[in-house]
Amino acid sequence: MAQHGNSETEVEEASAWGGKVSPFKVSYGKLMMWFFLVSDALTFGGLLVAYGFTRHAFTGNWPIGEEVFRKIPFTEADLPLLYVALMTFILIISSVTMVLAVEAGHRMDRKGVTKWMFATIIGGFFFLGSQAWEWSHFIHGSELGRVQLEDGSLAYVRGEAGKIQKFEITKAGAHHKLGDVITEGLAHKYEHAVAAGRVSKDGSITFHDGAVAKVTKEADKIESLLIRQSGSKNHKVGEKIEGAEAGRYYEEAVTSGKSNRVVFGANLQQNEYGPQQYAQFFFFITGFHGFHVFTGVLVNIIVFFGVIRGLYHKRGHYEMVEKAGLYWHFVDLVWVFVFTFFYLV
Amino acid sequence: MERDDIIEYSLYNHHDENAGKAIRKKIYFVTLLLTAITVIEVIIGAFVKQSFHYWELVQWGFIIMTLVKASYIVLIFMHLGDENKSLKKMILVPYFVFIIYLIFICIVEALAVHSTWLNY
């Protein structure tokens, strides 16, 4: 208790509320920051409880992070949760550099405050960048998507998508001439055709304008299908279909001619990873948290310039760093809960 | 006009180099602890599937580890542990009263909705 220099943290009870002193022994600004944080914590608490409500009320199978978040930028490796763990670590470390800045401020060490504030801002940017990648990956989805079997069962697909070399137009449309060869944006266009059910039995695809193209493509290597939602008695949740049978099921869905038999990624209308509400809550809660991080970085930058200008040094105390720090730690605190309820539990 | 009856609370937290060393030691300890808990969480999260029969136990483990992490962040990083008693109470008591009630009522309602979906 005594570590903060003021050995008496308590105010005499008889005179505490009689005016002139603060019963809480903190300045106005810090007290108001705490009030704000309590109300903001209730907001986040409310959002997470709403998520919990939806999840407990839902009767199907809800995905967990290990099943959804498995990729790392710049690699093809399949490593569950590792990237989110890294994001969490970045945020914890930037929280540590912030608390070190506050400590340096208590010693009136201007150089120390400058150094640690700078590190905190860098950490904040790294986190924001990571979250942008995470969202982008979540929206674009996996290479093979999620498949709906003939009986309505939904399954995750594990495997490798075959490389596409080119499209050759065999029937002209409004935007495509006969004999045109397309070599750019192939994977994206092909995914689009698969999701829309525009792949025919011989493997050729139809574009929106009616043009038909012959596809030169290696075969998809489907390793397994994992049943997530049962559509009939034939498939149970958790069942794993492997080998050639998995490939046949996938092929059937791709060439069925019906849209949304294969779904790629998540948005507000459809979700590859699980129930639709899962995506909605993911976007809202991690988005709202990301907005807080963004605000926190802005506040930190403003305070950082104050530190450089010597504004707080002249004032005789670095309490502004402490107040910005409270907000920054709060952002980390919220992430600890978001991490648990979105990625672990 | 300068007023002499205003107490400058902002100066209360100042400390010297020696006290600073002790505080930094504590900060590094908490850093290690938070990192260690996160690593444990991720390892369990990556290898335990929700189809395992002890999954519910693991979920409770995650929630307890989260609360431990949260209390270290609030009490040490946000220095709430060093503030005076009335401030601590004023922040924590109303929050826990509301949030525990909210969690309780929403989970009860959600389970009722869940069984309604299943049975009707």
Side-chain angles (χ1 to χ4, degrees), chain A residues 273-340:
Chain A
Y273 311 101
Q276 191 54 50
Q277 299 98 310
Y278 176 72
Q280 256 106 350
F281 273 108
F282 176 83
F283 286 128
F284 197 93
I285 296 181
T286 63
F288 197 50
H289 174 265
F291 175 65
H292 274 74
V293 178
F294 177 70
T295 322
V297 171
L298 283 188
V299 169
N300 281 348
I301 289 174
I302 293 167
V303 172
F304 177 68
F305 281 116
V307 174
I308 291 181
R309 282 196 302 139
L311 180 67
Y312 311 122
H313 212 81
K314 256 182 261 158
R315 219 177 259 179
H317 57 80
Y318 280 86
E319 207 189 46
M320 195 55 85
V321 176
E322 211 174 323
K323 283 181 277 195
L326 280 178
Y327 181 69
W328 190 250
H329 295 313
F330 172 75
V331 167
D332 183 29
L333 179 70
V334 170
W335 181 255
V336 165
F337 283 92
V338 171
F339 178 62
T340 300

Side-chain angles (χ1 to χ4, degrees), chain A residues 99, chain B residues 26 30 71-82:
Chain A
V99 81
Chain B
K26 201 166 166 187
V30 176
S71 36
Y72 270 99
I73 291 173
V74 174
L75 295 179
I76 309 292
F77 283 1
M78 295 169 95
H79 291 300
L80 190 63
D82 304 324

Side-chain angles (χ1 to χ4, degrees), chain A residues 59-310:
Chain A
T59 50
N61 201 312
W62 200 269
I64 60 171
E66 175 262 327
E67 296 159 355
V68 178
F69 304 96
R70 308 177 66 95
K71 292 285 183 227
I72 291 187
F74 314 119
T75 70
E76 291 295 312
D78 189 37
L79 296 162
L81 290 180
L82 204 67
Y83 189 57
V84 226
L86 186 71
M87 279 169 71
T88 308
F89 184 67
I90 289 170
L91 206 55
I92 287 177
I93 292 305
S94 85
S95 212
V96 172
T97 54
M98 188 78 226
V99 81
L100 287 169
V102 172
E103 193 273 331
H106 288 162
R107 282 183 287 112
M108 295 302 288
D109 172 6
R110 188 164 146 193
K111 260 192 191 153
V113 180
T114 313
K115 178 176 77 181
W116 292 122
M117 281 295 291
F118 184 72
T120 308
I121 293 165
I122 297 296
F125 276 122
F126 263 101
F127 182 84
L128 284 174
S130 309
Q131 211 171 27
W133 182 87
E134 179 103 329
W135 266 51
S136 157
H137 185 73
F138 190 78
I139 291 166
H140 289 120
S142 57
E143 277 183 310
L144 293 163
R146 184 209 63 199
V147 64
Q148 184 183 26
L149 307 183
E150 263 178 300
D151 67 347
S153 302
L154 301 178
Y156 284 159
V157 186
R158 297 260 187 270
E160 226 177 288
K163 263 217 183 86
I164 307 165
Q165 277 89 25
K166 60 181 181 191
F167 298 152
E168 266 174 282
I169 305 292
T170 54
K171 190 186 150 211
H175 305 290
H176 298 89
K177 276 190 292 217
L178 189 69
D180 272 1
V181 177
I182 304 169
T183 51
E184 269 168 34
L186 296 172
H188 181 73
K189 284 178 185 138
Y190 190 73
E191 270 187 15
H192 215 74
V194 172
R198 290 164 177 274
V199 180
S200 64
K201 295 266 189 275
D202 64 0
S204 63
I205 60 173
T206 310
F207 290 104
H208 284 294
D209 60 352
V212 177
K214 191 177 141 231
V215 178
T216 313
K217 174 179 181 298
E218 291 165 16
D220 295 329
K221 282 181 216 132
I222 311 292
E223 282 158 20
S224 66
L225 302 183
L226 184 69
I227 303 291
R228 294 291 306 168
Q229 196 176 310
S230 168
S232 74
K233 278 176 193 148
N234 298 339
H235 298 293
K236 266 192 230 131
V237 172
E239 183 193 338
K240 205 172 180 184
I241 305 167
E242 280 171 301
E245 203 190 350
R248 272 201 303 279
Y249 275 119
Y250 189 73
E251 185 74 16
E252 187 278 321
V254 169
T255 58
S256 65
K258 286 180 200 128
S259 65
N260 293 334
R261 285 290 299 275
V262 182
V263 169
F264 298 92
N267 51 47
L268 295 178
Q269 273 83 46
Q270 53 190 13
N271 178 8
E272 167 187 340
Y273 311 101
Q276 191 54 50
Q277 299 98 310
Y278 176 72
Q280 256 106 350
F281 273 108
F282 176 83
F283 286 128
F284 197 93
I285 296 181
T286 63
F288 197 50
H289 174 265
F291 175 65
H292 274 74
V293 178
F294 177 70
T295 322
V297 171
L298 283 188
V299 169
N300 281 348
I301 289 174
I302 293 167
V303 172
F304 177 68
F305 281 116
V307 174
I308 291 181
R309 282 196 302 139

Side-chain angles (χ1 to χ4, degrees), chain A residues 3-4 9-10 22-23 30 35 41 53 56 58 62 66-67 85 96 103 106-107 316 319 322 340 345, chain B residues 9-10 12-15 17 20 23-24 26 31 42 45 49-50 59 66 83-85 90 95 106 114:
Chain A
Q3 58 154 296
H4 257 177
T9 44
E10 303 310 319
S22 160
K30 217 166 120 180
F35 279 165
F53 178 95
H56 279 91
F58 189 71
W62 200 269
E66 175 262 327
E67 296 159 355
V96 172
E103 193 273 331
H106 288 162
R107 282 183 287 112
E319 207 189 46
E322 211 174 323
T340 300
V345 170
Chain B
Y9 291 101
S10 309
Y12 271 41
N13 291 335
H14 279 205
H15 56 240
E17 181 54 43
I23 293 171
R24 281 199 296 274
K26 201 166 166 187
T31 311
V42 169
K49 314 257 178 237
Q50 60 173 336
Q59 283 179 307
T66 305
E83 304 290 0
N84 88 6
K85 256 189 223 151
M90 186 195 65
Y95 188 78
C106 281
H114 182 94

Side-chain angles (χ1 to χ4, degrees), chain B residues 64-117:
Chain B
I64 290 165
M65 283 191 273
T66 305
L67 291 177
V68 171
K69 279 206 284 189
S71 36
Y72 270 99
I73 291 173
V74 174
L75 295 179
I76 309 292
F77 283 1
M78 295 169 95
H79 291 300
L80 190 63
D82 304 324
E83 304 290 0
N84 88 6
K85 256 189 223 151
S86 8
L87 182 59
K88 269 189 258 188
K89 277 188 213 155
M90 186 195 65
I91 288 160
L92 297 176
V93 174
Y95 188 78
F96 277 106
V97 167
F98 278 117
I99 212 72
I100 288 171
Y101 173 71
L102 190 65
I103 292 170
F104 163 75
I105 208 72
C106 281
I107 299 297
V108 169
E109 277 296 306
L111 294 176
V113 172
H114 182 94
S115 64
T116 310
W117 279 120

